[in-house]
Amino acid sequence: MTMHPSTLKEHKEFHQVDMGQGWHVPPGYPEGIEQKILAGRLDEVKGEGNRTRLLRFLPGARTEKPFVHDYWEEVYLLEGDLIVGDRSRETYPAHTYACRPPGVFHGPFKSEMGCLLLEIHYYETTLR
């Protein structure tokens, strides 16, 4: 695999994604929420890079407080349900999408049935 300098992502042709292995709890997340990195690398300390990942919530998994970060985030709900917020508690079904610029508070999140999200994270400097 080679890294393209403008994107910091590996060149990967179509390949089967092993959905049974390679999952781990991201730093700062509770048990029951796991990620699988598909491509790229996001360095939050240096504020550079990008990544594409799958994020899954096991049934009943939840976060406790809203998130805010300094990178762009695009999220596509592939399957399951995602409940957003403590008070308004809006429930979203599969095939819903969000695009958030840096600095936007979002969450907390919960899933009753469990869900699978495709997320793309990137810093603006990655686009230049």
Side-chain angles (χ1 to χ4, degrees):
M1 278 180 264
T2 58
M3 298 288 278
H4 190 281
S6 66
T7 63
L8 299 176
K9 283 193 178 177
E10 308 88 345
H11 174 174
K12 294 183 176 184
E13 292 296 332
F14 281 108
H15 63 282
Q16 187 73 40
V17 175
D18 183 349
M19 296 300 286
Q21 296 184 33
W23 295 92
H24 64 276
V25 176
Y29 282 74
E31 290 293 323
I33 301 173
E34 302 168 327
Q35 73 176 1
K36 180 178 183 70
I37 305 299
L38 297 176
R41 185 180 67 80
L42 192 74
D43 187 331
E44 294 180 57
V45 173
K46 292 182 180 177
E48 63 186 27
N50 58 64
R51 73 175 163 222
T52 302
R53 74 177 182 179
L54 294 174
L55 187 72
R56 70 179 176 190
F57 282 59
L58 300 179
R62 63 174 293 136
T63 62
E64 297 298 323
K65 56 186 177 182
F67 290 87
V68 64
H69 36 72
D70 61 349
Y71 51 83
W72 283 86
E73 177 178 56
E74 295 183 61
V75 181
Y76 187 85
L77 180 56
L78 294 166
E79 58 187 47
D81 68 300
L82 188 65
I83 302 166
V84 180
D86 275 338
R87 294 190 178 99
S88 65
R89 295 182 53 89
E90 294 183 59
T91 301
Y92 296 94
H95 308 295
T96 54
Y97 170 80
C99 182
R100 299 183 188 103
V104 172
F105 283 85
H106 50 286
F109 300 101
K110 180 179 179 180
S111 181
E112 294 291 342
M113 300 181 307
C115 69
L116 181 63
L117 304 160
L118 174 66
E119 297 186 346
I120 302 168
H121 302 147
Y122 51 92
Y123 286 94
E124 285 199 47
T125 56
T126 306
L127 301 176
R128 292 184 196 150

